Amino acid sequence: MTPVELSRTVLHAVRRAVDAGELSVAVPARAVVAPPGPGGCGDYATNIALQLARPAGQPPRRVAEVLRPYLVDVEGITDVVLTGPGFLNISLHGTAPAALVEEILRHGSRYGHRYGSADAAGAESGRVVRLHCPHDVRAVVVAEAAARILRSQGTLVRTSCAAPLDPAWTAVLGVRVDAQGPATAEPPVDVRPVPAPADPLPLGRDAGRWALLHPAAHDRPRIGDEHLRQREGNPLFRVRYAHARTRALSRNAADLHFAAEPGPVTDAASDLLAALADHPRALAAAAAHRAPDRLARHLVTVADAALPFLPTVLPRGGEKPSAAHRARLALAEAVGAVLAGGLSLLGIDAPDHL
C-alpha cells in the first residue's frame, strides 16, 4: 500500500464510521499520512483523529478508537496503534517499500501531484488563488515558484507584480507573471519575502533561483558564489549531484544488461524510503503555506538520505546482477524522479551530468 492509497484508506475509514453513525462529521477532502514522529511507531502515522475531534464533539483519542477497527481489517495493514493524544500509527505489510517505488516510477516527476481532488474540483468551479508581489526580484521568484507548486496540487493560480518586471529578471531567472500593475481583483495573497541583500543575477538561473528560494521567506538570503561551488557544503550541488548519480546508475546498469525492478530493499534504506514517502506531504505543505523553501529543504533531505545509498546499487567486482540489485536500481530511479520533479517546480534544471 502506497502513501496515497493509505491516505484514501484513512478517508474511507472515516466514511464508514460516519455511515455507521459512530461519528457525526463531514468527511474531509484529504488525510495526511507521514512517517511517525517521536514516540510513534509503525510505517506511517496520521493525525486525522485530532483533525476531526472538534467537529465530532469528542476527544481526539476517542475518535481514534472509533477509527481503529475500520483500519485494522484492511488488507495490507498489519496493525494500528494509538499514541499520544490520538495519533493513529499504521504498520503495513512488508511489501510497502516496493509499492512506494512502483508508485513513484509510475508517476515519474509528477509523483505527489494531485488531480481529481477537492482542490481540483474547486479550480474547475472557477476559484482562483491570486498571488501578488511587489516589484522585487525575490518576491517575484517566490511567487512564481509558489504558483508552480500550487498548480501541482490542482489549484488554479494567477500571479501579478506591482510593476512591470525588469527584462533581465526574465532573461536570466526565467520569471514571468500573469499580470503587471496594481492588484485589481479581490484581495490577493501578498507575497513579501525579505528582499535579497544583493543582485542574484550574476549567479545565473539555477543558483540564483536556489539562493532566493531555499531560505524561508522571513530569512534574508545569502547571495554569493557558495551557491556555485561543486562541493558537498552546497545544498544545491548535493541535490543535483544525487540526481545526476541516479541517471548515471541507470546508464551503467544498461551497460551491464539489467534494469530496475521494484522489490525488497535493505533496512539501511529506511530513511530514504521515509523521505520519498513524505514527498506528497511536503508538496502539499509547500502549497498550503505558499512556501517553496519547504520543498527546497525537502529535496535536500531526500538527497542527503540517497547519497550514502547510491554506491550500493551496482554489482561489484565479478558479482552478477541480482534481484537485490534490480530493486536498489528501482529505488535509485525513484530518487531521481522525485529530485527532478521537485527541482522543476522550483524552476531549476536537473542535469543528467555534472
Side-chain angles (χ1 to χ4, degrees):
M1 185 181 299
T2 67
V4 171
E5 291 169 339
L6 181 57
S7 176
R8 294 182 187 134
T9 298
V10 172
L11 291 180
H12 184 60
V14 174
R15 189 170 295 109
R16 289 171 64 193
V18 169
D19 291 345
E22 295 187 73
L23 288 177
S24 179
V25 295
V27 179
R30 63 189 301 263
V32 174
V33 297
C41 60
D43 297 297
Y44 295 100
T46 178
N47 66 348
I48 190 70
L50 283 73
Q51 179 183 341
L52 297 178
R54 184 183 294 273
Q58 300 186 44
R61 194 167 183 89
R62 173 56 189 157
V63 175
E65 290 169 350
V66 168
L67 294 177
R68 184 180 181 277
Y70 293 103
L71 291 169
V72 293
D73 67 350
V74 173
E75 183 178 358
I77 293 179
T78 58
D79 195 14
V80 179
V81 176
L82 275 61
T83 60
F87 291 100
L88 288 156
N89 296 260
I90 303 170
S91 297
L92 301 177
H93 188 269
T95 58
L100 171 63
V101 171
E102 286 175 357
E103 182 187 11
I104 295 173
L105 295 181
R106 183 167 63 252
H107 292 284
S109 62
R110 291 181 175 270
Y111 168 64
H113 291 213
R114 296 176 63 203
Y115 300 99
S117 64
D119 286 347
E124 291 170 3
S125 69
R127 293 197 300 272
V128 178
V129 173
R130 301 186 183 276
L131 303 180
H132 184 72
C133 59
H135 188 256
D136 170 77
V137 64
R138 188 186 185 199
V140 173
V141 171
V142 170
E144 188 209 43
R148 290 171 186 254
I149 297 169
L150 279 160
R151 290 176 184 129
S152 81
Q153 301 303 291
T155 303
L156 280 178
V157 188
R158 295 292 180 268
T159 56
S160 60
C161 183
L165 303 188
D166 289 9
W169 297 356
T170 299
V172 176
L173 299 176
V175 291
R176 291 175 175 81
V177 292
D178 299 310
Q180 303 179 40
T184 57
E186 65 275 5
V189 176
D190 281 325
V191 178
R192 292 180 176 273
V194 173
D199 184 5
L201 298 186
L203 296 176
R205 174 169 178 155
D206 294 331
R209 291 181 71 100
W210 182 268
L212 299 174
L213 293 172
H214 181 251
H218 58 266
D219 291 332
R220 186 174 297 278
R222 293 181 299 169
I223 307 297
D225 62 4
E226 66 267 25
H227 300 292
L228 297 170
R229 293 172 184 159
Q230 305 281 66
R231 298 178 182 175
E232 289 186 2
N234 177 3
L236 174 60
F237 170 73
R238 297 203 302 275
V239 171
R240 299 175 87 195
Y241 176 69
H243 172 266
R245 286 287 296 126
T246 67
R247 303 304 302 140
L249 290 170
S250 295
R251 294 192 298 270
N252 294 339
D255 292 339
L256 295 173
H257 307 291
F258 80 97
E261 184 177 327
V265 292
T266 174
D267 290 341
S270 59
D271 288 345
L272 175 55
L273 288 164
L276 294 176
D278 198 38
H279 186 63
R281 185 207 61 79
L283 277 181
H289 296 276
R290 285 70 162 137
D293 60 283
R294 293 186 177 220
L295 172 58
R297 291 194 297 274
H298 173 68
L299 296 181
V300 176
T301 298
V302 172
D304 288 347
L307 286 170
F309 165 78
L310 296 179
T312 71
V313 171
L314 296 179
R316 297 181 180 182
E319 194 178 12
K320 292 186 177 181
S322 65
H325 294 110
R326 291 191 290 273
R328 290 197 288 266
L329 178 61
L331 178 54
E333 291 185 353
V335 169
V338 167
L339 295 178
L343 287 171
S344 177
L345 289 175
L346 299 177
I348 296 172
D349 185 38
D352 286 354
H353 303 270
L354 273 184

